[in-house]
Amino acid sequence: MNVTLLGSVDADTLSKVAIPLYSESVPCGFPSPASGYEDTRLDLNELCIPRPSSTYMVRCDGDSMNGIGIYAGDILVVDRSIKPKHGDTVVAAVDGAFTVKTLALKPRVRLLPQNRQYAPIEFKDGSELQLFGVVTHLVRTMQR
Amino acid sequence: MPIYALCDMNSFYVSAELLFRPDLVDKPCIVLSNNDGCAVARNPSAKSLGIKMGAPRFEIEEVIQEHGVITFSSNYTLYADISNRVMTTLERLAPSVFIYSIDEAFLDLSGMENLGPLERYGRSVVDTVRRDVGIPCCIGISNTKTLAKLANQGAKKYPKTGGVVDLTDPQRQRRLMAITDVGDVWGVGRRIGKRLKELGVSSALDLADANPAWIRKHFSVVLERTVRELNGIACIPFDDTPPNKKQIVVSRSFGQRITKLSDMRQAISSYMTKAAEKLRNEGMNAGVVTVFFRTNVFNQNQPQYSNSVSRTLTQPSSDTRVLISIANELLSSIWKNGYAFMKAGVMLSDFYDKSISQQGLFDIEPVDGRSTKLMATLDKINRQKKGQLTFARDGISQNWQMKRENLSPCYTTRWSDLPKVR
């Protein structure tokens, strides 16, 4: 696999996290004369945060979701404006604390952990599920 | 006829704090002003304990202890971000939005009455803000801004309304005005309200039915405008922007009392840095600089001294270096040792448009293009990250900074402060 240097980000565009995308890879030492036509810069915000005013970020602090690859230290992008559906990863307030779980609506409303060491969270009659929002993306800084 | 709505966020500062503290939603909570001085926001549970708006902390200390009231120091970084989210959401939902304050916005809904019941529209706005941002709000709808404000107060006061009141019907307007104290009418206030009551005008309806000419004669043209607005005649334009600022004041109470001139110099210099930045944002030069400070007037056991001093500049300026140096000269001229100062501030006034500044006859320095450039660069750097570039006079260890003992994290603006989920 070729690795392409994407270039530096200048200070004026820092807040937009703009990274130039080259549509072609450049073989080391022999740049193709056809390359050099830059496409528009990619903006990670555009990908992860289409609705900034309803998007919050939270940090994961447990291991209950290890089964689907959410680990402690990960940053979760949460969009409140999305209507939650069965199977969504959601952030909810349970007993006064935020938790990230898989939302089950069938056969009844439950919050499912993705780790055998934890039990599903059930809701008794009359108690309400306090949803904070739906997790849409995950940001992880890789160990180096 | 125009149709305006006022959207007002409920107990905004507390609501913003509680968005990230699900453990506290059922508890009485208040937010304290700068320096943890007074209660500036209360949730309904704190209100029911009798904590009044603006109550100084020492007066409510007992209630706080007895009922375990949760207190937050004001976290304006957080409130500004959440407010911005609400306003952005409103702009998506309404054809035209005028931001009135950090927690209030007027919406221009003229013409939308043809699209369906206004109350249903209002409810969809309240629900969307609640779901998308997480902040509860109320909406009042009517034909003038003053009536929209009245409708909003009704929506807040009466839970049965579900937070939305459509007050476009004149009969309904009169019914609500009849049970509204005249002092609660937008633009009246406590002092004028008291005078009105002495003259037999005690409800909003009394004011609406008063003779405008009589009101103008005995009060002001501003109050006459209020009378017309209560009668459904829109007098205040939708985007009634306040005129250019006439003065800029930066003033704070200190965390610890200041007794040394060197500490006071730091404080005054850093306030002037902030004031000058605001001044440049307005595109103005200031012609008068004022410095003031005072001891704690509530503590009569301590020696008291307060003073203020102003100087008119021969050449109006917005250069932080010039303004700091003048402020320091002024400070030296009124400083006295032996007092414990509680509060200080600077004021800039007598503004001139930057583009029409003229060189004084006896000015040694020419009107300096380099100064403008330097300040623009400084502002640009500091906009990227607050306080990145400071003046040495502001000091490095600012131990006089204000008290913020129960400051919450900046959940939405700092990577290190993100809320935790398990």
Side-chain angles (χ1 to χ4, degrees):
Chain A
M1 191 187 359
N2 287 321
V3 175
T4 311
L5 177 65
L6 295 176
S8 62
V9 178
D10 70 81
D12 283 342
T13 59
L14 260 185
S15 61
K16 291 221 68 179
V17 203
I19 301 166
L21 166 78
Y22 293 89
S23 48
E24 285 172 65
S25 63
V26 181
C28 286
F30 201 75
S32 156
S35 76
Y37 293 93
E38 261 183 50
D39 282 341
T40 49
R41 285 180 168 183
L42 281 185
D43 183 350
L44 272 179
N45 289 314
E46 203 180 293
L47 180 74
C48 306
I49 313 181
R51 289 166 296 275
S53 55
S54 61
T55 303
Y56 291 91
M57 285 185 254
V58 299
R59 195 180 289 277
C60 179
D61 191 31
D63 56 4
S64 69
M65 295 297 275
N66 284 9
I68 56 165
I70 300 176
Y71 298 106
D74 288 354
I75 290 171
L76 309 176
V77 180
V78 183
D79 191 340
R80 290 182 60 99
S81 69
I82 295 175
K83 191 174 181 334
K85 60 180 199 323
H86 179 79
D88 277 349
T89 306
V90 295
V91 169
V94 176
D95 296 330
F98 286 126
T99 185
V100 52
K101 296 285 177 291
T102 300
L103 175 69
L105 297 174
K106 294 172 274 190
R108 59 186 184 281
V109 175
R110 285 185 304 166
L111 291 176
L112 308 176
Q114 300 287 347
N115 182 336
R116 277 154 197 258
Q117 287 165 16
Y118 294 82
I121 299 168
E122 307 272 353
F123 295 89
K124 291 190 198 87
D125 289 344
S127 72
E128 204 182 321
L129 168 59
Q130 298 283 338
L131 266 192
F132 184 82
V134 175
V135 178
T136 55
H137 296 86
L138 186 64
V139 180
R140 177 177 310 143
T141 304
M142 300 307 290
Q143 294 252 321
R144 303 173 56 228
Chain B
M1 227 188 225
I3 293 181
Y4 298 139
L6 176 63
C7 175
D8 186 348
M9 304 168 216
N10 305 353
S11 319
F12 175 55
Y13 296 170
V14 176
S15 299
E17 296 282 356
L18 292 186
L19 180 55
F20 303 100
R21 293 298 301 270
D23 54 320
L24 300 178
V25 283
D26 300 323
K27 303 215 161 62
C29 299
I30 59 172
V31 171
L32 298 167
S33 61
N34 278 344
N35 241 342
D36 294 351
C38 311
V40 288
R42 313 146 294 154
N43 66 351
S45 153
K47 281 177 198 169
S48 70
L49 292 174
I51 297 176
K52 293 266 178 298
M53 187 69 181
R57 179 167 185 156
F58 66 87
E59 262 179 27
I60 52 175
E61 193 61 54
E62 236 170 81
V63 186
I64 292 176
Q65 295 302 334
E66 190 188 334
H67 297 277
V69 176
I70 310 293
T71 58
F72 294 97
S73 304
S74 16
N75 183 347
Y76 287 107
T77 314
L78 175 68
Y79 311 151
D81 176 61
I82 302 292
S83 167
N84 202 355
R85 288 166 183 263
V86 174
M87 299 306 177
T88 312
T89 305
L90 292 177
E91 275 158 9
R92 222 181 56 225
L93 300 169
S96 185
V97 175
F98 177 66
I99 298 171
Y100 186 67
S101 71
I102 192 165
D103 59 355
E104 294 168 289
F106 283 101
L107 317 179
D108 187 350
L109 308 181
S110 307
M112 286 184 69
E113 66 273 26
N114 304 323
L115 302 176
L118 288 164
E119 191 173 323
R120 196 173 67 198
Y121 167 80
R123 202 161 306 285
S124 79
V125 171
V126 169
D127 290 346
T128 307
V129 170
R130 171 92 228 202
R131 188 194 61 212
D132 285 14
V133 187
I135 295 294
C137 63
C138 284
I139 280 198
I141 305 167
S142 196
N143 302 109
T144 70
K145 283 172 129 181
T146 306
L147 283 170
K149 178 87 182 178
L150 193 78
N152 188 291
Q153 286 164 349
K156 273 222 161 85
K157 197 166 168 189
Y158 305 106
K160 264 209 321 216
T161 62
V164 180
V165 167
D166 171 6
L167 200 64
T168 46
D169 172 37
Q171 290 308 315
R172 228 178 154 199
Q173 289 170 7
R174 293 185 70 82
R175 277 206 302 276
L176 183 57
M177 283 195 281
I179 54 169
T180 302
D181 187 285
V182 72
D184 290 338
V185 173
W186 195 42
V188 173
R190 206 187 306 165
R191 206 171 48 84
I192 296 174
K194 210 177 140 211
R195 263 184 69 204
L196 281 166
K197 277 179 212 163
E198 285 164 6
L199 294 165
V201 179
S202 53
S203 71
L205 188 60
D206 293 341
L207 183 61
D209 290 340
N211 180 345
W214 182 80
I215 289 289
R216 180 188 204 151
K217 189 164 164 243
H218 291 272
F219 292 88
S220 65
V221 65
V222 179
L223 195 64
E224 184 198 3
R225 198 173 68 168
T226 303
V227 173
R228 294 194 193 281
E229 284 246 324
L230 286 176
N231 283 292
I233 303 158
C235 303
I236 307 170
F238 176 65
D239 49 355
D240 186 26
T241 11
N244 265 353
K245 279 190 189 148
K246 301 234 165 53
Q247 55 190 38
I248 290 171
V249 180
V250 175
S251 147
R252 305 270 188 283
S253 297
F254 306 124
Q256 293 164 20
R257 303 284 176 263
I258 282 188
T259 53
K260 289 204 302 248
L261 178 58
S262 58
D263 283 345
M264 187 64 97
R265 278 198 193 292
Q266 278 190 17
I268 291 291
S269 300
S270 87
Y271 298 162
M272 186 53 89
T273 303
K274 288 198 185 86
E277 204 177 304
K278 286 186 185 175
L279 182 68
R280 291 193 294 272
N281 269 334
E282 299 273 317
M284 292 287 173
N285 283 334
V288 173
V289 176
T290 307
V291 168
F292 58 91
F293 51 64
R294 63 172 164 81
T295 49
N296 183 0
V297 287
F298 293 113
N299 190 346
Q300 288 299 336
N301 305 325
Q302 296 235 315
Q304 299 283 322
Y305 174 51
S306 66
N307 206 346
S308 89
V309 58
S310 302
R311 180 188 292 173
T312 304
L313 313 188
T314 48
Q315 187 182 334
S317 175
S318 61
D319 186 321
T320 307
R321 299 167 300 171
V322 174
L323 297 172
I324 282 185
S325 124
I326 291 167
N328 274 286
E329 283 171 36
L330 291 174
L331 173 61
S332 305
S333 71
I334 54 170
W335 176 261
K336 278 188 196 169
N337 282 316
Y339 296 93
F341 292 103
M342 186 188 78
K343 188 172 191 166
V346 300
M347 185 170 87
L348 298 173
S349 45
D350 189 22
F351 290 173
Y352 296 87
D353 200 307
K354 245 185 180 158
S355 52
I356 54 173
S357 87
Q358 195 186 17
Q359 191 177 357
L361 182 57
F362 299 105
D363 290 338
I364 304 159
E365 303 259 335
V367 177
D368 193 352
R370 287 170 62 207
S371 151
T372 312
K373 269 190 200 146
L374 176 64
M375 290 301 125
T377 309
L378 178 76
D379 290 345
K380 194 175 168 199
I381 293 171
N382 281 340
R383 257 197 297 277
Q384 284 164 9
K385 190 166 175 243
K386 221 174 174 181
Q388 203 157 225
L389 211 55
T390 60
F391 285 80
R393 272 209 167 135
D394 297 2
I396 292 161
S397 71
Q398 302 180 329
N399 49 18
W400 43 266
Q401 277 253 355
M402 68 176 174
K403 215 157 83 182
R404 295 167 101 182
E405 276 168 357
N406 303 312
L407 186 63
S408 55
C410 291
Y411 300 107
T412 57
T413 50
R414 261 184 227 160
W415 290 113
S416 58
D417 287 3
L418 293 185
K420 292 262 164 50
V421 301
R422 297 194 64 86

